[in-house]
Amino acid sequence: MTAFTASAPGKVILLGEHAVVYGEPALAVPLFNIQARAIVRAVPRGNPGEMLIQAPDIELEAFFSDLDSHHPLKVALLAVLEHLEMTSPPACVLNISSTIPIASGLGSGAAVTCAVVRAFSAFLGQRLTDDQVSQLTYQAEKIHHGTPSGIDNTVICRRQPIYFQAGKPVEPLRIPHPFFMVIGSTGIPSPTGEVVSMVRRAREKNPARYNSLFASIGKIVKSARTAIEDGGLNELGELMNTNQSLLEDMGVSSPELENLITAARNGGAPGAKLSGGGKGGNMIALVEEDQAQEISSVLLRAGAVETMITRVTGWEAV
Ligand code: MEV
């Protein structure tokens, strides 16, 4: 029986998280080391409209019709049906698996939804464009994150590095000189939606201070894009460090993140910062290729529960 399979990568925000929610630009890259995958299979003699969803990683086994109307999967599947002008799915089984850690700032929710939207629409006979998949994925992102900027679904569904600014055409980020990063996990959940709401409340109390933090981050992101295009690794590292200071001022860092960030810098990484929502989750360290293994060990010794080394590259790399 034909199975319709789709996968989607994780993501890393290089610079600009949180400020991007307020209209500033940010840089993000897909992370192919970790992936979400969705498989849809028809059930030939099943009851029309009966769709069984199996996601053993999150201990979910439920019929589509039984999912709460606010469940991100229900929202995503309904968005696909509506887009294709259908009212209910043919009998089928949707299987979901993912190697992307949940609530870690690495795009697990958006990647699962992106893979589901792609596989389900293909099963229904339509191969959607990356931008269509991204727009449908965004519907479920609103359930995950409240007021998402759209950067996560965009980088994940496009599967390419991006310079993202809400409301403007997405620009591919050129990376002519690939570089390496070590990602270190604090092992502490990063509830992106909650942290985004916390920043919103703080900004309501002190708009001038927060708007100025966001504007400073926006400037750093623009300089970082130039540094990446020029291969200025040290300059990029310094910009990451300044971005981290501003995220600390914003109140979204944590002692555990800062412990790993300091360890990476002391170990020789030219730049390190938190990545994603913050308050937990992952930090990233910019490294030279021959430093990567050592910085990974440094992070593990400093208490990281897991590390990942990744080569950040674009389509124009040689
Ligand atoms: C989450 O990956 C990035 C945030 O800026 C939220 C968003 O852009 O939607 C924290």
Side-chain angles (χ1 to χ4, degrees):
M1 192 196 315
T2 316
F4 291 83
T5 303
S7 54
K11 69 99 217 292
V12 168
I13 308 261
L14 295 180
L15 298 102
E17 50 274 271
H18 288 291
V20 67
V21 175
Y22 297 89
E24 296 294 340
L27 306 180
V29 297
L31 190 58
F32 293 103
N33 312 39
I34 47 180
Q35 305 250 350
R37 168 189 278 248
I39 306 173
V40 186
R41 286 189 184 82
V43 178
R45 279 173 296 281
N47 294 327
E50 204 166 80
M51 178 180 201
L52 178 65
I53 301 170
Q54 298 173 320
D57 299 334
I58 53 165
E59 293 177 13
L60 172 77
E61 171 142 344
F63 284 103
F64 167 71
S65 51
D66 293 337
L67 287 182
D68 184 88
S69 60
H70 293 298
H71 194 289
L73 281 174
K74 179 112 172 194
V75 171
L77 293 165
L78 279 174
V80 174
L81 287 169
E82 195 180 315
H83 183 81
L84 301 181
E85 296 178 358
M86 296 174 75
T87 45
S88 68
C92 62
V93 175
L94 164 63
N95 185 276
I96 301 167
S97 57
S98 174
T99 55
I100 308 172
I102 294 170
S104 65
L106 297 178
S108 137
V112 164
T113 309
C114 174
V116 165
V117 167
R118 223 185 275 281
F120 187 50
S121 52
F123 167 72
L124 296 174
Q126 278 270 345
R127 290 206 184 265
L128 303 179
T129 64
D130 288 348
D131 285 339
Q132 285 171 324
V133 174
S134 179
Q135 275 160 23
L136 297 173
T137 300
Y138 183 72
Q139 304 303 318
E141 280 291 281
K142 287 196 251 181
I143 305 285
H144 280 297
H145 293 171
T147 53
S149 62
I151 191 169
D152 289 9
N153 51 288
T154 305
V155 66
I156 284 168
C157 297
R158 282 187 166 229
R159 295 169 282 202
Q160 66 174 178
I162 55 169
Y163 174 90
F164 177 91
Q165 195 163 12
K168 300 215 170 141
V170 185
E171 296 179 41
L173 173 65
R174 292 195 326 107
I175 310 182
H177 313 277
F179 53 91
F180 281 78
M181 267 183 339
V182 184
I183 302 168
S185 169
T186 60
I188 295 168
S190 168
T192 302
E194 280 172 35
V195 188
V196 169
S197 306
M198 191 204 84
V199 172
R200 166 152 292 110
R201 287 194 299 275
R203 177 179 179 252
E204 275 161 14
K205 281 197 192 135
N206 200 339
R209 176 156 183 269
Y210 273 76
N211 288 344
S212 141
L213 285 170
F214 298 149
S216 303
I217 291 176
K219 283 196 192 118
I220 287 171
V221 168
K222 287 181 188 148
S223 305
R225 180 191 199 175
T226 309
I228 289 172
E229 287 177 353
D230 294 347
L233 208 69
N234 285 330
E235 196 188 339
L236 177 61
E238 276 167 32
L239 291 163
M240 286 171 67
N241 291 336
T242 313
N243 192 167
Q244 171 61 24
S245 302
L246 295 166
L247 288 162
E248 287 171 18
D249 292 349
M250 205 186 281
V252 299
S253 188
S254 75
E256 294 83 1
L257 281 164
E258 285 161 33
N259 170 45
L260 297 183
I261 289 164
T262 306
R265 288 179 191 155
N266 290 345
K273 62 181 279 295
L274 68 82
S275 178
K279 285 280 174 203
N282 284 272
M283 49 72 68
I284 53 174
L286 178 69
V287 292
E288 301 278 1
E289 182 173 5
D290 58 6
Q291 278 182 310
Q293 210 58 57
E294 173 55 20
I295 298 291
S296 166
S297 306
V298 163
L299 288 173
L300 289 168
R301 281 199 298 275
V305 296
E306 206 182 338
T307 60
M308 219 185 300
I309 297 174
T310 187
R311 182 174 184 261
V312 182
T313 177
W315 49 269
E316 62 292 88
V318 282

